[in-house]
């Protein structure tokens, strides 16, 4: 048992340090009072109560089971588009915890096998925008995204390829992240962004997932110049993926009259493809429909900005947190008796008293007859 | 609520899961249960106030504010240690443990290391009942329906709190135990 205390203490210290928490900060969060108590626990000198361990685990974004395990799974790689600053470690730990919970639910529920994402090998120092375009076209075909890819991208990635898509409020300046680990692939999107900006971020992060093994995230810190090339390719990929050449060109050309296109038509076209007007206009530059100067002029024109803003509310969708796919999976695991109701409430971030209402937000209802079934011929 | 003479004079000792606390509260039988049986809760459940928080009321209903009830002696708080939890961890597979809330895991640990040997774990949760049977502790489980009968009270209950549901979940766990499913590899 002394050995267990030492292993547990070491595990707690490592997890605390990863989160850049001081002993006093952890003591305050757990309600242990003085930092000396955390110090004693980490040295294996003090018995830990099960309830204390549960609180420590919660505050370190781990499960009790993980803290008690003799070995930890390898830490997943998380790739941020822009460094989220001081909050990075906490955000990352929470994101990884959610991904692991997602993975657990998949194991418990055993849904139909996932289709692996295509894997593209690229040379990070040489990747061109044309190559990124080609990858986007291949991806659109491989994933069956159709002519309006943004409208189906989330669902297809979640349902067919088990990409875990999570949302977190990261502020207006916050970006996005992708991750690969024992849970598979995952993407973190900024819940504060407009839906079309989230779509773009998702497409951008998808490029990193598809090229994960050749354009490795370690490059970001070790070779920033090569990485900047990869980032440009990811932007081009996102643009081409969400705005397919043929569909955009056809739709745009049909709106041109006497060599002009109305602002309202541009805004409507952007909403139709579920992308921002900026993304659409720059794509049209690449398709030779506008020159850069004209796009800059339009984007700076207050009349265009006003029209764009006016069209936003009716298309605005707040992401559900937790995401619907995760909640449905957790609910299924509960219905199958794989997780307890209290665990379900914990996963959904709600209380046992409010669980029913939380489920109702997702159109789910606890029923006594959920095991009723129809015979298949 | 209908009253009947209790079947036994020996006070029933119940170790309650959080879902039973809430169900008893919802049915208006919480006070009666506390008066007629010796009620205990795992410390993790007592300290986890967020479980009982109601957004509508912006608070935990006072009648099930477990820390206050424990302080007044109306319920007992039983504590397991991390070592006890590790013993249970050495028996159950990760996916079984990860399907439980820490309060349920603590209840199982208390029973398994015999710190609550004369208590019966009362829960309406299939995953928890299943784990109880996996640990060979079926005899120490009890449904809310049976507990209410034992203290001379009856109340229409949803299926998950009935004897039948409890028996089915136990049976499933016992079968898995025999087939060594859900147990940690030696």
């Amino acid at each position: 048992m002394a050995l267990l205390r030492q292993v547990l203490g070491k595990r707690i210290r490592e997890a605390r340090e990863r989160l850049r928490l001081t002993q006093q900060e952890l003591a305050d969060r757990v309600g242990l009072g003085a930092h000396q108590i955390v110090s004693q626990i980490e040295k294996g000198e003090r018995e830990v109560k099960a309830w204390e361990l549960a609180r420590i685990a919660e505050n370190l974004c781990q499960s009790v089971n993980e803290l008690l395990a003799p070995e930890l799974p390898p830490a997943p790689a998380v790739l941020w588009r822009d460094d989220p600053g001081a909050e990075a470690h906490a955000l990352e730990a929470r994101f990884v915890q959610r991904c692991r919970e997602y993975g657990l639910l998949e194991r418990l529920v055993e849904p139909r096998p996932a289709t692996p994402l295509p894997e593209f090998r690229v040379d990070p120092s040489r990747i061109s925008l044309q190559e990124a375009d080609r990858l986007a076209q291949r991806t659109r075909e491989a994933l069956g995204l159709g002519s309006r890819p943004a409208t189906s991208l989330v669902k297809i990635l979640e349902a067919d390829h088990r990409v875990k898509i999570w949302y977190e409020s990261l502020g207006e300046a916050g970006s996005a992240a992708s991750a690969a680990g024992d849970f598979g692939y995952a993407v973190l999107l900024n819940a504060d962004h407009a839906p079309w900006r989230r779509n773009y971020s998702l497409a951008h992060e998808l490029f990193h997932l598809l090229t994960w093994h050749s354009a490795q995230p370690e490059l970001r810190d070790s070779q920033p110049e090569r990485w900047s090339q990869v980032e440009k390719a990811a932007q081009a990929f996102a643009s081409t993926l969400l705005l397919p050449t043929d569909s955009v060109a056809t739709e745009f050309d049909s709106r041109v009259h006497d060599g002009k296109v109305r602002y309202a038509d541009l805004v409507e076209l952007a909403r139709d493809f579920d992308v921002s007007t900026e993304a659409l206009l720059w794509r049209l530059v690449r398709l030779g429909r506008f020159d850069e100067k004209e796009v800059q002029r339009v984007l700076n024109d207050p009349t265009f900005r006003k029209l764009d803003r006016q069209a936003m509310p009716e298309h605005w969708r707040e992401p559900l947190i937790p995401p619907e796919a995760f909640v449905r999976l957790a609910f299924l695991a509960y219905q199958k008796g794989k997780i307890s109701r209290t665990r379900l409430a914990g996963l959904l971030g709600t209380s046992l008293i409010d669980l029913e209402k939380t489920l109702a937000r997702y159109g789910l209802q606890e029923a006594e007859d959920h095991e009723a079934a129809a015979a298949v011929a | 609520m209908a009253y009947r003479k209790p079947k036994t004079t020996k006070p029933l000792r119940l170790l309650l899961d959080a879902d039973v606390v809430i169900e008893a509260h919802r049915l208006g039988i919480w006070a009666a249960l506390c008066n007629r049986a010796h009620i205990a809760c795992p410390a993790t459940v007592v300290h986890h106030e967020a479980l009982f928080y109601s957004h509508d009321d912006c608070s935990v209903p006072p009648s099930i504010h477990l820390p206050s009830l424990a302080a007044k002696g109306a319920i007992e708080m039983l504590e397991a240690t991390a070592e006890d939890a590790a013993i249970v961890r050495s028996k159950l597979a990760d996916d079984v443990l990860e399907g439980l809330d820490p309060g349920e895991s603590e209840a199982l640990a208390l029973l398994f290391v015999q710190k609550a040997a004369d208590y019966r774990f009362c829960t309406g949760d299939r995953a928890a009942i299943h784990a109880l049977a996996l640990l060979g502790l079926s005899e120490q489980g009890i449904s809310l329906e049976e507990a209410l009968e034992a203290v001379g009270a009856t109340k229409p209950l949803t299926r998950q709190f009935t004897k039948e549901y409890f028996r089915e979940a136990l049976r499933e766990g016992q079968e898995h135990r025999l087939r060594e499913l859900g147990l940690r590899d030696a």
Side-chain angles (χ1 to χ4, degrees):
Chain A
M1 284 302 152
L3 181 65
L4 174 90
R5 277 190 206 175
Q6 282 180 359
V7 171
L8 179 61
K10 183 170 173 277
R11 186 68 47 75
I12 290 171
R13 179 172 54 76
E14 287 168 352
R16 176 182 62 74
E17 288 175 350
R18 263 201 308 278
L19 285 173
R20 308 289 198 270
L21 286 177
T22 64
Q23 290 180 334
Q24 187 59 57
E25 283 168 333
L26 181 61
D28 290 342
R29 291 182 189 196
V30 175
L32 292 172
H35 69 88
Q36 287 89 343
I37 296 176
V38 173
S39 172
Q40 287 169 349
I41 289 172
E42 290 183 352
K43 288 179 189 160
E45 293 171 355
R46 179 187 180 277
E47 180 184 79
V48 185
K49 304 284 187 195
W51 72 267
E52 292 170 338
L53 185 60
R55 280 202 182 168
I56 290 170
E58 187 187 351
N59 282 285
L60 295 178
C61 299
Q62 305 265 313
S63 71
V64 169
N65 189 38
E66 283 167 344
L67 284 180
L68 290 172
E71 284 175 29
L72 280 181
V78 177
L79 171 66
W80 287 95
R81 192 177 328 157
D82 300 314
D83 188 343
E87 285 290 297
H89 302 289
L91 285 169
E92 208 166 295
R94 209 155 52 224
F95 177 41
V96 168
Q97 183 188 26
R98 289 313 211 167
C99 292
R100 291 224 159 102
E101 288 169 348
Y102 227 129
L104 166 76
L105 292 172
E106 283 177 352
R107 282 200 309 277
L108 294 176
V109 169
E110 295 174 350
R112 66 187 161 85
T115 309
L117 279 177
E119 195 180 306
F120 299 135
R121 302 208 73 80
V122 295
D123 180 345
S125 57
R126 288 193 191 162
I127 185 164
S128 63
L129 301 188
Q130 289 72 22
E131 190 180 356
D133 283 349
R134 279 195 296 276
L135 294 185
Q137 281 165 20
R138 282 171 60 192
T139 303
R140 201 165 50 242
E141 284 162 18
L143 269 56
L145 293 173
S147 63
R148 301 293 185 276
T151 57
S152 57
L153 187 58
V154 169
K155 202 144 201 165
I156 285 175
L157 288 178
E158 284 180 334
D160 295 348
H161 304 280
R162 302 275 155 65
V163 176
K164 288 136 191 80
I165 300 171
W166 204 267
Y167 305 89
E168 185 90 43
S169 181
L170 302 171
E172 190 48 35
S175 62
S178 44
D182 49 327
F183 44 78
Y185 285 130
V187 173
L188 176 68
L189 297 174
N190 187 350
D192 298 327
H193 282 171
W196 30 95
R197 195 162 164 200
R198 291 198 304 269
N199 288 338
Y200 206 81
S201 290
L202 178 57
H204 178 111
E205 297 307 318
L206 177 59
F207 176 82
H208 291 307
L209 299 185
L210 300 173
T211 58
W212 194 270
H213 296 288
S214 47
Q216 289 179 327
E218 296 83 54
L219 280 180
R220 186 178 186 267
D221 299 322
S222 62
Q223 298 183 45
E225 280 179 20
R226 286 175 83 189
W227 188 253
S228 123
Q229 197 65 20
V230 173
E231 281 295 277
K232 281 181 192 158
Q235 296 287 28
F237 173 90
S239 172
T240 308
L241 184 78
L242 299 181
L243 293 159
T245 305
D246 291 348
S247 316
V248 172
T250 307
E251 293 290 346
F252 176 80
D253 293 345
S254 71
R255 288 165 171 81
V256 177
H257 299 290
D258 300 327
K260 287 187 176 175
V261 61
R262 293 185 321 133
Y263 283 176
D265 283 336
L266 287 173
V267 170
E268 188 261 334
L269 198 56
R271 297 296 168 263
D272 182 28
F273 282 90
D274 223 351
V275 297
S276 66
T277 47
E278 285 92 334
L280 174 72
L281 289 170
W282 289 116
R283 178 76 176 126
L284 289 166
V285 170
R286 287 193 69 204
L287 292 176
R289 288 341 192 242
F290 282 126
D291 62 36
E292 287 188 25
K293 245 169 115 178
E294 178 63 0
V295 164
Q296 290 289 11
R297 189 193 66 75
V298 172
L299 289 173
N300 288 326
D301 186 341
T303 309
F304 179 76
R305 286 291 178 203
K306 190 178 170 195
L307 270 174
D308 193 13
R309 271 198 306 276
Q310 281 172 344
M312 284 181 183
E314 63 177 303
H315 296 275
W316 196 281
R317 300 175 306 279
E318 294 287 344
L320 284 166
I321 305 175
E324 188 173 355
F326 176 85
V327 173
R328 288 191 176 275
L329 204 55
F331 188 62
L332 191 55
Y334 165 64
Q335 284 189 314
K336 289 186 165 200
K338 303 289 186 185
I339 64 170
S340 72
R341 196 169 185 272
T342 316
R343 180 77 164 115
L344 175 68
L347 288 169
L348 271 52
T350 189
S351 72
L352 277 171
I353 288 185
D354 291 334
L355 180 60
E356 206 177 319
K357 282 184 191 154
T358 303
L359 289 171
R361 274 179 57 214
Y362 293 84
L364 299 170
Q365 194 181 4
E366 288 183 82
E368 293 193 14
D369 53 357
H370 62 80
E371 282 175 6
V376 178
Chain B
M1 183 168 40
Y3 297 103
R4 284 190 287 113
K5 189 179 173 192
K7 284 178 180 170
T8 172
T9 50
K10 189 181 171 188
L12 180 65
R13 289 179 172 268
L14 295 174
L15 179 60
L16 299 190
D17 195 3
D19 65 335
V20 172
V21 173
I22 289 184
E23 186 64 5
H25 177 258
R26 195 182 68 81
L27 293 170
I29 52 172
W30 173 244
L33 203 59
C34 289
N35 288 336
R36 296 185 213 172
H38 184 93
I39 300 296
C41 288
T44 304
V45 173
V46 174
H47 287 293
H48 196 172
E49 285 184 46
L51 274 180
F52 304 98
Y53 185 85
S54 160
H55 259 97
D56 286 349
D57 303 333
C58 296
S59 67
V60 175
S63 55
I64 50 168
H65 188 260
L66 300 184
S68 309
L69 294 172
K72 283 191 292 191
I75 65 163
E76 190 179 0
M77 181 174 81
L78 297 181
E79 284 184 329
T81 64
E83 279 92 346
D84 301 332
I87 292 170
V88 168
R89 193 192 173 279
S90 71
K91 303 291 172 194
L92 297 176
D94 283 338
D95 285 356
V96 173
L97 287 163
E98 294 280 6
L100 300 174
D101 175 78
E104 289 151 348
S105 297
E106 186 178 25
L108 294 174
L110 287 163
L111 297 171
F112 195 77
V113 302
Q114 305 208 333
K115 285 184 176 171
D118 48 353
Y119 284 82
R120 295 182 76 185
F121 181 38
C122 187
T123 177
D125 227 311
R126 191 166 142 201
I129 303 166
H130 183 263
L132 189 73
L134 278 177
L135 288 169
L137 297 168
S138 297
E139 295 300 314
Q140 281 192 262
I142 188 169
S143 66
L144 180 58
E145 183 181 16
E146 195 182 345
L148 289 178
E149 281 177 8
V151 298
T154 56
K155 194 91 181 173
L157 298 166
T158 52
R159 192 172 125 67
Q160 72 175 103
F161 295 103
T162 61
K163 285 189 276 193
E164 186 195 4
Y165 183 86
F166 201 91
R167 265 198 304 269
E168 281 171 15
L170 268 187
R171 196 163 45 237
E172 182 189 67
Q174 286 160 345
E175 280 171 19
H176 283 190
R177 180 174 159 83
L178 284 174
R179 291 160 59 198
E180 298 187 347
L181 295 172
L183 298 174
R184 193 172 290 279
D185 296 334

